[in-house]
Amino acid sequence: MSCRLRLQGPGPIQLYFMGYRIGFGVDFHQLAEGREFWLGGVLIPASRGAVGHSDADVLIHAICDALLGALNLGDIGLHFPNTDPAYKDIDSKILLEKTYALVRSRGYRIVNIDSTVCLEAPKIMKYAPLMRAAMAAILRIAADDISIKATTTEQLGFIGRGEGLTAYATVLVESAAGRGEAP
């Protein structure tokens, strides 16, 4: 935990503790015919979707990993193993909700999320406002506190060949104690 001094006029020096933590997450999935394409909690029209035990929402999975990592709680596979039938075809928004409950139980809140999705097709940025709104509602933050960017690999590698996609996420969380609040 870091601290900061605040000087206010001739009065006493006040010491404020700041409890910020940063987490990073990444997820990869193959793409295949006959699968729905879920991204950021939104069903996006596409000829192929991501393959996975759940709905394979690569963006939500990366954000979950980032949140868990920020608080040293392991990864998404530890909390929601792909060997557990309870998670077969589960809506990843439920996983995000459960992950956020863990964050809150530790006395933290989300400050902001920055994410990048890497895929060749389909083009996803017109769906970004819907994705941001869907995740913001679950995470109890403003949609403006969630950044979603998209890029391609210029036809290089498995992503460039259209075989899969990946998402990266970085989160900043803040302790309620760091803001002088009860958790």
Side-chain angles (χ1 to χ4, degrees), residues 37-89:
F37 186 57
W38 286 93
L39 192 65
V42 174
L43 180 60
I44 295 176
S47 61
R48 296 177 305 146
V51 177
H53 185 69
S54 66
D55 65 6
D57 188 324
V58 70
L59 179 55
I60 285 182
H61 295 181
I63 291 170
C64 286
D65 265 350
L67 288 167
L68 293 167
L71 298 175
N72 195 23
L73 296 174
D75 63 20
I76 194 170
L78 176 69
H79 294 273
F80 315 110
N82 64 6
T83 55
D84 187 336
Y87 302 115
K88 178 72 176 142
D89 297 323

mmCIF file of all heavy atoms in Angstrom, residues 37-89:
data_model
loop_
_atom_site.group_PDB
_atom_site.id
_atom_site.type_symbol
_atom_site.label_atom_id
_atom_site.label_comp_id
_atom_site.label_asym_id
_atom_site.label_seq_id
_atom_site.Cartn_x
_atom_site.Cartn_y
_atom_site.Cartn_z
ATOM 1 N N PHE A 37 -20.979 -16.193 -31.790
ATOM 2 C CA PHE A 37 -19.830 -15.347 -31.489
ATOM 3 C C PHE A 37 -20.217 -14.334 -30.417
ATOM 4 O O PHE A 37 -20.859 -13.315 -30.702
ATOM 5 C CB PHE A 37 -19.337 -14.647 -32.754
ATOM 6 C CG PHE A 37 -18.066 -13.864 -32.543
ATOM 7 C CD1 PHE A 37 -16.931 -14.481 -32.055
ATOM 8 C CD2 PHE A 37 -18.015 -12.519 -32.828
ATOM 9 C CE1 PHE A 37 -15.755 -13.763 -31.855
ATOM 10 C CE2 PHE A 37 -16.847 -11.784 -32.639
ATOM 11 C CZ PHE A 37 -15.716 -12.409 -32.144
ATOM 12 N N TRP A 38 -19.833 -14.644 -29.173
ATOM 13 C CA TRP A 38 -20.078 -13.764 -28.032
ATOM 14 C C TRP A 38 -18.809 -12.983 -27.723
ATOM 15 O O TRP A 38 -17.732 -13.559 -27.651
ATOM 16 C CB TRP A 38 -20.484 -14.581 -26.809
ATOM 17 C CG TRP A 38 -21.878 -15.095 -26.908
ATOM 18 C CD1 TRP A 38 -22.272 -16.306 -27.399
ATOM 19 C CD2 TRP A 38 -23.063 -14.404 -26.516
ATOM 20 N NE1 TRP A 38 -23.639 -16.411 -27.340
ATOM 21 C CE2 TRP A 38 -24.150 -15.260 -26.797
ATOM 22 C CE3 TRP A 38 -23.312 -13.152 -25.961
ATOM 23 C CZ2 TRP A 38 -25.468 -14.889 -26.529
ATOM 24 C CZ3 TRP A 38 -24.618 -12.786 -25.697
ATOM 25 C CH2 TRP A 38 -25.682 -13.658 -25.978
ATOM 26 N N LEU A 39 -18.961 -11.691 -27.538
ATOM 27 C CA LEU A 39 -17.813 -10.852 -27.209
ATOM 28 C C LEU A 39 -18.282 -9.712 -26.308
ATOM 29 O O LEU A 39 -19.224 -8.988 -26.665
ATOM 30 C CB LEU A 39 -17.166 -10.296 -28.481
ATOM 31 C CG LEU A 39 -15.807 -9.635 -28.296
ATOM 32 C CD1 LEU A 39 -14.765 -10.661 -27.827
ATOM 33 C CD2 LEU A 39 -15.352 -8.994 -29.590
ATOM 34 N N GLY A 40 -17.665 -9.585 -25.144
ATOM 35 C CA GLY A 40 -18.041 -8.527 -24.213
ATOM 36 C C GLY A 40 -19.484 -8.618 -23.758
ATOM 37 O O GLY A 40 -20.102 -7.608 -23.450
ATOM 38 N N GLY A 41 -20.019 -9.840 -23.741
ATOM 39 C CA GLY A 41 -21.389 -10.052 -23.308
ATOM 40 C C GLY A 41 -22.434 -9.788 -24.373
ATOM 41 O O GLY A 41 -23.632 -9.783 -24.089
ATOM 42 N N VAL A 42 -22.000 -9.594 -25.615
ATOM 43 C CA VAL A 42 -22.905 -9.268 -26.716
ATOM 44 C C VAL A 42 -22.781 -10.337 -27.806
ATOM 45 O O VAL A 42 -21.669 -10.723 -28.180
ATOM 46 C CB VAL A 42 -22.562 -7.876 -27.304
ATOM 47 C CG1 VAL A 42 -23.374 -7.572 -28.540
ATOM 48 C CG2 VAL A 42 -22.752 -6.798 -26.239
ATOM 49 N N LEU A 43 -23.912 -10.790 -28.316
ATOM 50 C CA LEU A 43 -23.927 -11.731 -29.438
ATOM 51 C C LEU A 43 -23.724 -10.929 -30.719
ATOM 52 O O LEU A 43 -24.533 -10.055 -31.059
ATOM 53 C CB LEU A 43 -25.250 -12.491 -29.486
ATOM 54 C CG LEU A 43 -25.406 -13.507 -30.610
ATOM 55 C CD1 LEU A 43 -24.326 -14.591 -30.541
ATOM 56 C CD2 LEU A 43 -26.793 -14.138 -30.552
ATOM 57 N N ILE A 44 -22.633 -11.227 -31.419
ATOM 58 C CA ILE A 44 -22.271 -10.492 -32.634
ATOM 59 C C ILE A 44 -22.501 -11.388 -33.843
ATOM 60 O O ILE A 44 -22.032 -12.536 -33.862
ATOM 61 C CB ILE A 44 -20.798 -10.031 -32.561
ATOM 62 C CG1 ILE A 44 -20.643 -9.028 -31.411
ATOM 63 C CG2 ILE A 44 -20.343 -9.436 -33.891
ATOM 64 C CD1 ILE A 44 -19.231 -8.568 -31.170
ATOM 65 N N PRO A 45 -23.222 -10.894 -34.843
ATOM 66 C CA PRO A 45 -23.441 -11.704 -36.047
ATOM 67 C C PRO A 45 -22.109 -12.040 -36.716
ATOM 68 O O PRO A 45 -21.296 -11.161 -36.985
ATOM 69 C CB PRO A 45 -24.276 -10.797 -36.955
ATOM 70 C CG PRO A 45 -24.816 -9.719 -36.078
ATOM 71 C CD PRO A 45 -23.857 -9.575 -34.938
ATOM 72 N N ALA A 46 -21.871 -13.324 -36.939
ATOM 73 C CA ALA A 46 -20.626 -13.776 -37.568
ATOM 74 C C ALA A 46 -20.839 -15.174 -38.122
ATOM 75 O O ALA A 46 -21.688 -15.925 -37.637
ATOM 76 C CB ALA A 46 -19.485 -13.777 -36.546
ATOM 77 N N SER A 47 -20.034 -15.519 -39.117
ATOM 78 C CA SER A 47 -20.142 -16.860 -39.705
ATOM 79 C C SER A 47 -19.509 -17.929 -38.819
ATOM 80 O O SER A 47 -19.805 -19.105 -38.964
ATOM 81 C CB SER A 47 -19.498 -16.882 -41.096
ATOM 82 O OG SER A 47 -18.119 -16.560 -40.994
ATOM 83 N N ARG A 48 -18.631 -17.497 -37.911
ATOM 84 C CA ARG A 48 -17.987 -18.439 -36.991
ATOM 85 C C ARG A 48 -17.945 -17.832 -35.602
ATOM 86 O O ARG A 48 -17.949 -16.626 -35.444
ATOM 87 C CB ARG A 48 -16.567 -18.757 -37.458
ATOM 88 C CG ARG A 48 -16.551 -19.470 -38.810
ATOM 89 C CD ARG A 48 -15.177 -19.738 -39.343
ATOM 90 N NE ARG A 48 -14.405 -18.515 -39.408
ATOM 91 C CZ ARG A 48 -13.097 -18.457 -39.206
ATOM 92 N NH1 ARG A 48 -12.422 -19.545 -38.922
ATOM 93 N NH2 ARG A 48 -12.456 -17.324 -39.300
ATOM 94 N N GLY A 49 -17.869 -18.720 -34.615
ATOM 95 C CA GLY A 49 -17.785 -18.262 -33.239
ATOM 96 C C GLY A 49 -16.628 -18.922 -32.529
ATOM 97 O O GLY A 49 -15.994 -19.852 -33.046
ATOM 98 N N ALA A 50 -16.353 -18.463 -31.321
ATOM 99 C CA ALA A 50 -15.243 -18.989 -30.535
ATOM 100 C C ALA A 50 -15.621 -20.336 -29.921
ATOM 101 O O ALA A 50 -16.763 -20.567 -29.524
ATOM 102 C CB ALA A 50 -14.846 -18.001 -29.454
ATOM 103 N N VAL A 51 -14.634 -21.220 -29.852
ATOM 104 C CA VAL A 51 -14.812 -22.557 -29.307
ATOM 105 C C VAL A 51 -14.337 -22.558 -27.861
ATOM 106 O O VAL A 51 -13.240 -22.081 -27.564
ATOM 107 C CB VAL A 51 -13.992 -23.598 -30.115
ATOM 108 C CG1 VAL A 51 -14.110 -24.983 -29.509
ATOM 109 C CG2 VAL A 51 -14.411 -23.584 -31.575
ATOM 110 N N GLY A 52 -15.157 -23.105 -26.969
ATOM 111 C CA GLY A 52 -14.763 -23.194 -25.570
ATOM 112 C C GLY A 52 -15.785 -23.961 -24.765
ATOM 113 O O GLY A 52 -16.856 -24.319 -25.262
ATOM 114 N N HIS A 53 -15.450 -24.225 -23.504
ATOM 115 C CA HIS A 53 -16.344 -24.954 -22.605
ATOM 116 C C HIS A 53 -17.568 -24.098 -22.278
ATOM 117 O O HIS A 53 -18.679 -24.596 -22.191
ATOM 118 C CB HIS A 53 -15.584 -25.322 -21.324
ATOM 119 C CG HIS A 53 -16.359 -26.169 -20.378
ATOM 120 N ND1 HIS A 53 -16.673 -27.482 -20.658
ATOM 121 C CD2 HIS A 53 -16.876 -25.912 -19.154
ATOM 122 C CE1 HIS A 53 -17.356 -27.998 -19.658
ATOM 123 N NE2 HIS A 53 -17.483 -27.055 -18.724
ATOM 124 N N SER A 54 -17.350 -22.788 -22.106
ATOM 125 C CA SER A 54 -18.438 -21.847 -21.852
ATOM 126 C C SER A 54 -18.894 -21.283 -23.191
ATOM 127 O O SER A 54 -18.710 -21.915 -24.221
ATOM 128 C CB SER A 54 -17.936 -20.730 -20.933
ATOM 129 O OG SER A 54 -16.957 -19.965 -21.609
ATOM 130 N N ASP A 55 -19.426 -20.067 -23.169
ATOM 131 C CA ASP A 55 -19.764 -19.412 -24.439
ATOM 132 C C ASP A 55 -18.527 -18.858 -25.142
ATOM 133 O O ASP A 55 -18.617 -18.301 -26.213
ATOM 134 C CB ASP A 55 -20.815 -18.319 -24.238
ATOM 135 C CG ASP A 55 -20.334 -17.159 -23.381
ATOM 136 O OD1 ASP A 55 -19.139 -17.106 -23.008
ATOM 137 O OD2 ASP A 55 -21.162 -16.281 -23.060
ATOM 138 N N ALA A 56 -17.350 -19.020 -24.505
ATOM 139 C CA ALA A 56 -16.041 -18.661 -25.087
ATOM 140 C C ALA A 56 -15.896 -17.168 -25.372
ATOM 141 O O ALA A 56 -15.269 -16.773 -26.350
ATOM 142 C CB ALA A 56 -15.756 -19.492 -26.338
ATOM 143 N N ASP A 57 -16.446 -16.342 -24.500
ATOM 144 C CA ASP A 57 -16.335 -14.893 -24.641
ATOM 145 C C ASP A 57 -14.931 -14.465 -24.214
ATOM 146 O O ASP A 57 -14.648 -14.254 -23.040
ATOM 147 C CB ASP A 57 -17.394 -14.204 -23.782
ATOM 148 C CG ASP A 57 -17.482 -12.709 -24.012
ATOM 149 O OD1 ASP A 57 -16.425 -12.074 -24.237
ATOM 150 O OD2 ASP A 57 -18.594 -12.163 -23.933
ATOM 151 N N VAL A 58 -14.047 -14.359 -25.177
ATOM 152 C CA VAL A 58 -12.628 -14.117 -24.933
ATOM 153 C C VAL A 58 -12.375 -12.799 -24.191
ATOM 154 O O VAL A 58 -11.481 -12.715 -23.346
ATOM 155 C CB VAL A 58 -11.846 -14.202 -26.267
ATOM 156 C CG1 VAL A 58 -12.161 -13.047 -27.177
ATOM 157 C CG2 VAL A 58 -10.381 -14.322 -26.069
ATOM 158 N N LEU A 59 -13.181 -11.790 -24.449
ATOM 159 C CA LEU A 59 -12.988 -10.496 -23.802
ATOM 160 C C LEU A 59 -13.347 -10.564 -22.318
ATOM 161 O O LEU A 59 -12.577 -10.123 -21.459
ATOM 162 C CB LEU A 59 -13.807 -9.413 -24.508
ATOM 163 C CG LEU A 59 -13.711 -8.002 -23.924
ATOM 164 C CD1 LEU A 59 -12.268 -7.517 -23.838
ATOM 165 C CD2 LEU A 59 -14.560 -7.043 -24.742
ATOM 166 N N ILE A 60 -14.491 -11.132 -22.006
ATOM 167 C CA ILE A 60 -14.873 -11.259 -20.600
ATOM 168 C C ILE A 60 -13.885 -12.149 -19.859
ATOM 169 O O ILE A 60 -13.521 -11.862 -18.717
ATOM 170 C CB ILE A 60 -16.323 -11.759 -20.459
ATOM 171 C CG1 ILE A 60 -17.280 -10.616 -20.797
ATOM 172 C CG2 ILE A 60 -16.583 -12.292 -19.048
ATOM 173 C CD1 ILE A 60 -18.751 -10.944 -20.659
ATOM 174 N N HIS A 61 -13.411 -13.212 -20.499
ATOM 175 C CA HIS A 61 -12.448 -14.103 -19.839
ATOM 176 C C HIS A 61 -11.151 -13.359 -19.510
ATOM 177 O O HIS A 61 -10.586 -13.532 -18.426
ATOM 178 C CB HIS A 61 -12.156 -15.318 -20.703
ATOM 179 C CG HIS A 61 -13.351 -16.200 -20.888
ATOM 180 N ND1 HIS A 61 -13.298 -17.363 -21.627
ATOM 181 C CD2 HIS A 61 -14.630 -16.105 -20.437
ATOM 182 C CE1 HIS A 61 -14.493 -17.930 -21.622
ATOM 183 N NE2 HIS A 61 -15.312 -17.176 -20.915
ATOM 184 N N ALA A 62 -10.670 -12.539 -20.424
ATOM 185 C CA ALA A 62 -9.440 -11.767 -20.170
ATOM 186 C C ALA A 62 -9.659 -10.770 -19.034
ATOM 187 O O ALA A 62 -8.780 -10.592 -18.187
ATOM 188 C CB ALA A 62 -8.991 -11.043 -21.442
ATOM 189 N N ILE A 63 -10.830 -10.153 -18.986
ATOM 190 C CA ILE A 63 -11.127 -9.209 -17.911
ATOM 191 C C ILE A 63 -11.229 -9.936 -16.574
ATOM 192 O O ILE A 63 -10.713 -9.456 -15.558
ATOM 193 C CB ILE A 63 -12.401 -8.397 -18.235
ATOM 194 C CG1 ILE A 63 -12.109 -7.446 -19.408
ATOM 195 C CG2 ILE A 63 -12.904 -7.635 -17.008
ATOM 196 C CD1 ILE A 63 -13.331 -6.759 -19.988
ATOM 197 N N CYS A 64 -11.865 -11.095 -16.556
ATOM 198 C CA CYS A 64 -11.930 -11.890 -15.319
ATOM 199 C C CYS A 64 -10.520 -12.223 -14.833
ATOM 200 O O CYS A 64 -10.221 -12.090 -13.639
ATOM 201 C CB CYS A 64 -12.723 -13.181 -15.537
ATOM 202 S SG CYS A 64 -14.510 -12.966 -15.674
ATOM 203 N N ASP A 65 -9.670 -12.671 -15.731
ATOM 204 C CA ASP A 65 -8.288 -12.997 -15.346
ATOM 205 C C ASP A 65 -7.553 -11.774 -14.803
ATOM 206 O O ASP A 65 -6.790 -11.871 -13.846
ATOM 207 C CB ASP A 65 -7.514 -13.600 -16.515
ATOM 208 C CG ASP A 65 -7.527 -15.111 -16.517
ATOM 209 O OD1 ASP A 65 -7.975 -15.717 -15.513
ATOM 210 O OD2 ASP A 65 -7.071 -15.699 -17.501
ATOM 211 N N ALA A 66 -7.779 -10.620 -15.412
ATOM 212 C CA ALA A 66 -7.126 -9.401 -14.941
ATOM 213 C C ALA A 66 -7.608 -9.035 -13.537
ATOM 214 O O ALA A 66 -6.806 -8.670 -12.672
ATOM 215 C CB ALA A 66 -7.382 -8.247 -15.915
ATOM 216 N N LEU A 67 -8.902 -9.143 -13.299
ATOM 217 C CA LEU A 67 -9.449 -8.839 -11.974
ATOM 218 C C LEU A 67 -8.914 -9.808 -10.927
ATOM 219 O O LEU A 67 -8.505 -9.394 -9.832
ATOM 220 C CB LEU A 67 -10.977 -8.888 -12.012
ATOM 221 C CG LEU A 67 -11.649 -7.740 -12.754
ATOM 222 C CD1 LEU A 67 -13.115 -8.046 -13.014
ATOM 223 C CD2 LEU A 67 -11.489 -6.446 -11.986
ATOM 224 N N LEU A 68 -8.906 -11.083 -11.247
ATOM 225 C CA LEU A 68 -8.390 -12.083 -10.312
ATOM 226 C C LEU A 68 -6.902 -11.869 -10.056
ATOM 227 O O LEU A 68 -6.442 -11.965 -8.916
ATOM 228 C CB LEU A 68 -8.660 -13.494 -10.855
ATOM 229 C CG LEU A 68 -10.138 -13.888 -10.925
ATOM 230 C CD1 LEU A 68 -10.303 -15.149 -11.767
ATOM 231 C CD2 LEU A 68 -10.735 -14.067 -9.533
ATOM 232 N N GLY A 69 -6.161 -11.551 -11.102
ATOM 233 C CA GLY A 69 -4.733 -11.324 -10.967
ATOM 234 C C GLY A 69 -4.410 -10.114 -10.113
ATOM 235 O O GLY A 69 -3.452 -10.128 -9.340
ATOM 236 N N ALA A 70 -5.215 -9.070 -10.223
ATOM 237 C CA ALA A 70 -4.964 -7.857 -9.441
ATOM 238 C C ALA A 70 -4.994 -8.147 -7.946
ATOM 239 O O ALA A 70 -4.283 -7.517 -7.174
ATOM 240 C CB ALA A 70 -5.993 -6.782 -9.787
ATOM 241 N N LEU A 71 -5.797 -9.114 -7.551
ATOM 242 C CA LEU A 71 -5.945 -9.424 -6.125
ATOM 243 C C LEU A 71 -5.285 -10.750 -5.751
ATOM 244 O O LEU A 71 -5.538 -11.292 -4.678
ATOM 245 C CB LEU A 71 -7.424 -9.428 -5.753
ATOM 246 C CG LEU A 71 -8.103 -8.074 -5.954
ATOM 247 C CD1 LEU A 71 -9.587 -8.152 -5.683
ATOM 248 C CD2 LEU A 71 -7.448 -7.009 -5.094
ATOM 249 N N ASN A 72 -4.450 -11.266 -6.652
ATOM 250 C CA ASN A 72 -3.712 -12.513 -6.392
ATOM 251 C C ASN A 72 -4.654 -13.663 -6.043
ATOM 252 O O ASN A 72 -4.413 -14.409 -5.098
ATOM 253 C CB ASN A 72 -2.667 -12.299 -5.293
ATOM 254 C CG ASN A 72 -1.647 -13.423 -5.252
ATOM 255 O OD1 ASN A 72 -1.444 -14.125 -6.237
ATOM 256 N ND2 ASN A 72 -1.020 -13.606 -4.108
ATOM 257 N N LEU A 73 -5.709 -13.799 -6.841
ATOM 258 C CA LEU A 73 -6.716 -14.831 -6.603
ATOM 259 C C LEU A 73 -6.663 -15.959 -7.626
ATOM 260 O O LEU A 73 -7.626 -16.701 -7.779
ATOM 261 C CB LEU A 73 -8.118 -14.198 -6.600
ATOM 262 C CG LEU A 73 -8.385 -13.191 -5.486
ATOM 263 C CD1 LEU A 73 -9.740 -12.520 -5.684
ATOM 264 C CD2 LEU A 73 -8.309 -13.873 -4.122
ATOM 265 N N GLY A 74 -5.549 -16.094 -8.330
ATOM 266 C CA GLY A 74 -5.450 -17.154 -9.331
ATOM 267 C C GLY A 74 -5.995 -16.693 -10.664
ATOM 268 O O GLY A 74 -5.960 -15.516 -10.997
ATOM 269 N N ASP A 75 -6.533 -17.649 -11.418
ATOM 270 C CA ASP A 75 -7.056 -17.315 -12.743
ATOM 271 C C ASP A 75 -8.447 -17.898 -12.928
ATOM 272 O O ASP A 75 -8.972 -18.599 -12.068
ATOM 273 C CB ASP A 75 -6.096 -17.761 -13.853
ATOM 274 C CG ASP A 75 -5.901 -19.264 -13.910
ATOM 275 O OD1 ASP A 75 -6.746 -20.013 -13.389
ATOM 276 O OD2 ASP A 75 -4.902 -19.696 -14.491
ATOM 277 N N ILE A 76 -9.020 -17.618 -14.071
ATOM 278 C CA ILE A 76 -10.388 -18.030 -14.357
ATOM 279 C C ILE A 76 -10.535 -19.558 -14.332
ATOM 280 O O ILE A 76 -11.556 -20.081 -13.885
ATOM 281 C CB ILE A 76 -10.868 -17.410 -15.695
ATOM 282 C CG1 ILE A 76 -12.379 -17.539 -15.849
ATOM 283 C CG2 ILE A 76 -10.105 -17.981 -16.868
ATOM 284 C CD1 ILE A 76 -12.945 -16.754 -17.011
ATOM 285 N N GLY A 77 -9.495 -20.273 -14.764
ATOM 286 C CA GLY A 77 -9.548 -21.737 -14.757
ATOM 287 C C GLY A 77 -9.591 -22.324 -13.354
ATOM 288 O O GLY A 77 -10.157 -23.398 -13.139
ATOM 289 N N LEU A 78 -9.010 -21.628 -12.405
ATOM 290 C CA LEU A 78 -9.049 -22.077 -11.010
ATOM 291 C C LEU A 78 -10.459 -21.952 -10.435
ATOM 292 O O LEU A 78 -10.950 -22.853 -9.760
ATOM 293 C CB LEU A 78 -8.072 -21.246 -10.177
ATOM 294 C CG LEU A 78 -8.049 -21.522 -8.668
ATOM 295 C CD1 LEU A 78 -7.463 -22.905 -8.403
ATOM 296 C CD2 LEU A 78 -7.243 -20.453 -7.948
ATOM 297 N N HIS A 79 -11.117 -20.846 -10.739
ATOM 298 C CA HIS A 79 -12.443 -20.585 -10.177
ATOM 299 C C HIS A 79 -13.572 -21.224 -10.977
ATOM 300 O O HIS A 79 -14.603 -21.583 -10.395
ATOM 301 C CB HIS A 79 -12.670 -19.080 -10.073
ATOM 302 C CG HIS A 79 -11.764 -18.431 -9.083
ATOM 303 N ND1 HIS A 79 -12.071 -18.339 -7.747
ATOM 304 C CD2 HIS A 79 -10.534 -17.873 -9.226
ATOM 305 C CE1 HIS A 79 -11.083 -17.740 -7.104
ATOM 306 N NE2 HIS A 79 -10.144 -17.449 -7.988
ATOM 307 N N PHE A 80 -13.389 -21.356 -12.278
ATOM 308 C CA PHE A 80 -14.439 -21.882 -13.158
ATOM 309 C C PHE A 80 -13.827 -22.907 -14.112
ATOM 310 O O PHE A 80 -13.717 -22.665 -15.309
ATOM 311 C CB PHE A 80 -15.088 -20.741 -13.953
ATOM 312 C CG PHE A 80 -15.413 -19.533 -13.112
ATOM 313 C CD1 PHE A 80 -14.706 -18.351 -13.265
ATOM 314 C CD2 PHE A 80 -16.411 -19.580 -12.152
ATOM 315 C CE1 PHE A 80 -14.991 -17.230 -12.494
ATOM 316 C CE2 PHE A 80 -16.705 -18.469 -11.368
ATOM 317 C CZ PHE A 80 -15.997 -17.293 -11.544
ATOM 318 N N PRO A 81 -13.399 -24.066 -13.605
ATOM 319 C CA PRO A 81 -12.659 -25.032 -14.436
ATOM 320 C C PRO A 81 -13.482 -25.578 -15.600
ATOM 321 O O PRO A 81 -14.689 -25.826 -15.467
ATOM 322 C CB PRO A 81 -12.287 -26.142 -13.446
ATOM 323 C CG PRO A 81 -13.186 -25.965 -12.276
ATOM 324 C CD PRO A 81 -13.610 -24.539 -12.252
ATOM 325 N N ASN A 82 -12.797 -25.774 -16.730
ATOM 326 C CA ASN A 82 -13.484 -26.305 -17.912
ATOM 327 C C ASN A 82 -13.773 -27.800 -17.779
ATOM 328 O O ASN A 82 -14.354 -28.397 -18.683
ATOM 329 C CB ASN A 82 -12.708 -25.995 -19.194
ATOM 330 C CG ASN A 82 -11.347 -26.657 -19.243
ATOM 331 O OD1 ASN A 82 -10.983 -27.449 -18.367
ATOM 332 N ND2 ASN A 82 -10.583 -26.320 -20.264
ATOM 333 N N THR A 83 -13.403 -28.385 -16.663
ATOM 334 C CA THR A 83 -13.730 -29.786 -16.382
ATOM 335 C C THR A 83 -15.025 -29.910 -15.575
ATOM 336 O O THR A 83 -15.517 -31.008 -15.364
ATOM 337 C CB THR A 83 -12.582 -30.446 -15.592
ATOM 338 O OG1 THR A 83 -12.321 -29.665 -14.420
ATOM 339 C CG2 THR A 83 -11.320 -30.535 -16.444
ATOM 340 N N ASP A 84 -15.571 -28.770 -15.139
ATOM 341 C CA ASP A 84 -16.788 -28.772 -14.327
ATOM 342 C C ASP A 84 -17.999 -28.610 -15.243
ATOM 343 O O ASP A 84 -18.150 -27.591 -15.914
ATOM 344 C CB ASP A 84 -16.726 -27.625 -13.320
ATOM 345 C CG ASP A 84 -17.864 -27.646 -12.319
ATOM 346 O OD1 ASP A 84 -18.936 -28.226 -12.614
ATOM 347 O OD2 ASP A 84 -17.691 -27.063 -11.232
ATOM 348 N N PRO A 85 -18.887 -29.615 -15.263
ATOM 349 C CA PRO A 85 -20.072 -29.531 -16.127
ATOM 350 C C PRO A 85 -20.978 -28.328 -15.808
ATOM 351 O O PRO A 85 -21.747 -27.897 -16.664
ATOM 352 C CB PRO A 85 -20.816 -30.835 -15.871
ATOM 353 C CG PRO A 85 -19.956 -31.680 -15.009
ATOM 354 C CD PRO A 85 -18.815 -30.857 -14.515
ATOM 355 N N ALA A 86 -20.867 -27.778 -14.613
ATOM 356 C CA ALA A 86 -21.690 -26.616 -14.243
ATOM 357 C C ALA A 86 -21.398 -25.416 -15.134
ATOM 358 O O ALA A 86 -22.251 -24.535 -15.275
ATOM 359 C CB ALA A 86 -21.457 -26.249 -12.776
ATOM 360 N N TYR A 87 -20.204 -25.384 -15.718
ATOM 361 C CA TYR A 87 -19.813 -24.243 -16.541
ATOM 362 C C TYR A 87 -19.935 -24.517 -18.034
ATOM 363 O O TYR A 87 -19.586 -23.661 -18.846
ATOM 364 C CB TYR A 87 -18.396 -23.783 -16.181
ATOM 365 C CG TYR A 87 -18.295 -23.417 -14.722
ATOM 366 C CD1 TYR A 87 -17.492 -24.146 -13.862
ATOM 367 C CD2 TYR A 87 -19.048 -22.374 -14.201
ATOM 368 C CE1 TYR A 87 -17.424 -23.829 -12.514
ATOM 369 C CE2 TYR A 87 -18.991 -22.053 -12.851
ATOM 370 C CZ TYR A 87 -18.181 -22.781 -12.016
ATOM 371 O OH TYR A 87 -18.125 -22.476 -10.683
ATOM 372 N N LYS A 88 -20.449 -25.666 -18.402
ATOM 373 C CA LYS A 88 -20.618 -26.009 -19.822
ATOM 374 C C LYS A 88 -21.621 -25.046 -20.451
ATOM 375 O O LYS A 88 -22.752 -24.902 -19.993
ATOM 376 C CB LYS A 88 -21.100 -27.465 -19.953
ATOM 377 C CG LYS A 88 -21.347 -27.896 -21.376
ATOM 378 C CD LYS A 88 -20.051 -28.075 -22.122
ATOM 379 C CE LYS A 88 -20.336 -28.610 -23.527
ATOM 380 N NZ LYS A 88 -19.456 -28.037 -24.504
ATOM 381 N N ASP A 89 -21.177 -24.344 -21.479
ATOM 382 C CA ASP A 89 -21.989 -23.389 -22.242
ATOM 383 C C ASP A 89 -22.531 -22.235 -21.403
ATOM 384 O O ASP A 89 -23.483 -21.568 -21.806
ATOM 385 C CB ASP A 89 -23.150 -24.100 -22.966
ATOM 386 C CG ASP A 89 -22.654 -25.093 -24.002
ATOM 387 O OD1 ASP A 89 -21.638 -24.805 -24.662
ATOM 388 O OD2 ASP A 89 -23.276 -26.170 -24.139
#
